[in-house]
Amino acid sequence: MNLIDTVGTLAAILTTASFLPQAWHTFQTKDVSGISLGMYSVFTTGVACWLIYGLLLGAWPIVIANAITLALASAILVMKLRYR
């Protein structure tokens, strides 16, 4: 793995990991009162775009990280719509 791949992989791990505490808290409590529907809608769309971008480039750190984040963000977005 070269330096560019190492930096990309580290960035993917860190940004995905930083999202996990919020997702875990939301899954456990089902409290979505502090979550902005607009922000999560735009965020989820942006993550989907990053996933497509990564697929087009064949950049697997981007693909894997954004696939995980998209799944979590989508689940939170669905919970926001369901539990509001």
Side-chain angles (χ1 to χ4, degrees):
M1 186 179 291
N2 63 35
L3 180 60
I4 294 170
D5 289 336
T6 301
V7 171
T9 300
L10 181 60
I13 290 168
L14 292 174
T15 55
T16 302
S18 72
F19 190 75
L20 289 174
Q22 178 67 55
W24 182 253
H25 176 74
T26 304
F27 293 144
Q28 284 187 317
T29 65
K30 301 207 181 349
D31 177 14
V32 293
S33 61
I35 293 175
S36 164
L37 179 59
M39 180 272 182
Y40 255 81
S41 297
V42 172
F43 176 76
T44 303
T45 302
V47 171
C49 290
W50 274 112
L51 176 58
I52 293 166
Y53 177 72
L55 286 167
L56 292 171
L57 288 179
W60 294 108
I62 294 172
V63 170
I64 293 167
N66 284 290
I68 293 167
T69 304
L70 181 60
L72 294 170
S74 296
I76 291 172
L77 187 57
V78 167
M79 287 191 339
K80 176 64 177 177
L81 293 168
R82 184 174 178 193
Y83 298 122
R84 57 180 166 159

